[in-house]
Amino acid sequence: MLNKLKEIEDSGINEINGSSSTAALEELRIKYLGKKGALTSILRQLGTLSSEERPKVGAAANVVRQKIEARIEQKLAELESLQLDLKLKTEKVDVTLPGCKKEIGHLHPLRSTENRMIEIFVSMGFDLVEGPEVESVYNNFDALNAPADHPSRDETDTFYISDSVVLRTQTSPVQIRAMQTRKPPIRIISPGKVYRCDSPDATHSPVFHQLEGLVIDKHITLGDLKGTLDLFAQSMFGEGTRTRLRPHNFPFTEPSVEVDFSCFACGGKGCKLCKGEGWIEMLGAGMVHPNVLAGCGIDPNEYTGFAFGVGIERTAMRKYNINDLRLFYENDVRFIGQF
Ligand code: PHE
């Protein structure tokens, strides 16, 4: 029996040494010292021993119990301190480290330019309306008084979906939609994407953005157009900015003008930015053609109006002195992060 006790002690100590968790230790405690444990079953057999042997074996069993108990306590303490070490190592907080700043994005320069343009015109009393990018040939060309042989209708200039449907080449068809659905006085702006068959370069893109404006009322004159664009120019580019109208031709306006703004860099004296001109070309505009009004059911003898279309890319390029359109679309954060 003493041999048996020695075996229990050896295997107990061995197993305890090899255990790696507090739960495993608890299982060993039950296995060796529990009510149905190995040591208890020896003690139960004490009655079968002679009165000489009984105290010896009893005492030896107690020693084994104490050794195993002591070893379990020791091992428990070891494991706990190991766990603590591990926790300290892995959960270490270095309070001297700077906090992790979340990078917060911001609006794309095209979007913020568009928003500013909208803000300026809305503050003058224009309604913001939207039109579809897939548009009828009728709204994009016919209703805008474009002759059947107008070069912009060409398949090399315009993306055709079918014979009668295109990707709009300008935001001007929204004028038609507004005049068909609203009664004068009409005052709307409409920003959005337009599409043309152009290969991308520094000043061309097959997709770009325009903002259309339309005003229809009694007694609207070219002076109203000029005044409106003056206010836009000053709000967008600064108090001293002046506008200049140059004769041009669009099928849907008569007279038609191209509008220059005085150079933002030199104020009109002539510099590198304006190539010595003092003026920078900004947009197309004009008085709504009587044919367009009549085609939308508005009497040209009673009402007149003006329209303008301004490129959003162009405005942003002028505002931020950007010389390559493609920068807007490449989404290089080194570029768009600057705005
Ligand atoms: N739609 C013209 C363009 O894309 C601009 C424009 C709009 C001109 C309104 C006159 C009136 O070039």
Side-chain angles (χ1 to χ4, degrees):
M1 222 165 254
L2 287 173
N3 286 344
K4 183 83 181 136
L5 277 175
K6 183 69 185 145
E7 262 171 43
I8 290 174
E9 179 184 333
D10 287 349
S11 81
I13 297 291
N14 247 332
E15 279 198 88
I16 291 165
N17 286 343
S19 70
S20 58
S21 73
T22 52
L25 276 180
E26 189 49 34
E27 269 171 34
L28 291 177
R29 186 198 296 279
I30 292 164
K31 178 172 171 186
Y32 288 97
L33 310 177
K35 271 188 202 140
K36 291 176 185 164
L39 206 60
T40 316
S41 77
I42 298 279
L43 291 173
R44 286 225 177 90
Q45 292 167 42
L46 283 184
T48 63
L49 299 176
S50 66
S51 50
E52 268 165 47
E53 268 180 319
R54 207 179 298 150
K56 282 190 203 153
V57 176
N62 266 332
V63 171
V64 171
R65 165 184 292 278
Q66 279 162 11
K67 279 188 179 165
I68 291 180
E69 264 175 358
R71 184 65 199 128
I72 287 177
E73 288 313 313
Q74 219 181 5
K75 184 73 185 174
L76 206 57
E78 278 170 31
L79 284 179
E80 275 167 2
S81 99
L82 263 177
Q83 268 170 7
L84 188 64
D85 278 354
L86 192 72
K87 253 189 158 172
L88 284 174
K89 249 185 225 152
T90 53
E91 296 176 13
K92 188 158 61 179
V93 176
D94 182 348
V95 291
T96 66
L97 279 176
C100 345
K101 255 203 230 153
K102 276 244 163 67
E103 283 245 28
I104 299 176
H106 58 72
L107 289 180
H108 189 280
L110 278 183
R111 184 67 73 196
S112 57
T113 302
E114 176 183 304
N115 285 351
R116 177 70 189 129
M117 293 164 78
I118 291 171
E119 202 172 72
I120 293 168
F121 286 110
V122 166
S123 79
M124 291 188 228
F126 285 78
D127 280 353
L128 178 67
V129 303
E130 279 185 73
E133 291 165 25
V134 180
E135 184 54 281
S136 65
V137 167
Y138 179 80
N139 285 344
N140 195 80
F141 293 121
D142 301 312
L144 286 165
N145 201 36
D149 59 353
H150 197 273
S152 65
R153 290 184 186 247
D154 223 60
E155 271 180 31
T156 55
D157 289 302
T158 300
F159 293 108
Y160 279 83
I161 304 283
S162 71
D163 285 348
S164 58
V165 179
V166 293
L167 294 183
R168 66 178 179 188
T169 61
Q170 48 189 354
T171 42
S172 300
V174 188
Q175 290 184 37
I176 304 302
R177 291 173 175 272
M179 287 187 271
Q180 284 171 342
T181 54
R182 295 177 174 228
K183 286 199 161 36
I186 297 171
R187 243 183 270 126
I188 59 113
I189 51 163
S190 187
K193 287 192 179 74
V194 300
Y195 301 83
R196 292 181 192 176
C197 300
D198 281 322
S199 301
D201 64 23
T203 53
H204 292 87
S205 164
V207 189
F208 61 103
H209 300 76
Q210 290 184 330
L211 182 137
E212 193 80 9
L214 174 72
V215 171
I216 308 283
D217 203 349
K218 290 178 175 161
H219 315 300
I220 296 292
T221 68
L222 200 65
D224 296 311
L225 170 65
K226 173 114 163 83
T228 303
L229 294 178
D230 276 348
L231 193 53
F232 168 63
Q234 287 158 16
S235 310
M236 195 76 207
F237 295 104
E239 292 269 316
T241 314
R242 287 162 293 129
T243 66
R244 174 176 86 170
L245 309 186
R246 271 184 296 108
H248 199 71
N249 175 53
F250 298 106
F252 40 92
T253 45
E254 181 58 37
S256 300
V257 292
E258 264 188 334
V259 184
D260 299 335
F261 289 4
S262 56
C263 177
F264 328 113
C266 65
K269 288 191 206 81
C271 68
K272 237 167 71 183
L273 181 69
C274 59
K275 300 192 182 79
E277 294 269 321
W279 297 95
I280 292 179
E281 183 192 320
M282 287 298 300
L283 62 122
M287 301 304 291
V288 180
H289 197 292
N291 289 354
V292 175
L293 290 171
C296 295
I298 296 174
D299 183 356
N301 295 313
E302 196 180 353
Y303 291 101
T304 53
F306 66 76
F308 59 87
V310 50
I312 296 175
E313 278 82 353
R314 174 174 292 194
T315 305
M317 286 169 86
R318 302 292 192 244
K319 182 150 182 69
Y320 299 118
N321 197 8
I322 294 161
N323 56 13
D324 195 324
L325 186 61
R326 289 166 292 195
L327 288 165
F328 287 128
Y329 312 125
E330 284 164 356
N331 277 344
D332 186 333
V333 287
R334 290 170 302 181
F335 171 74
I336 49 181
Q338 295 175 44
F339 301 95

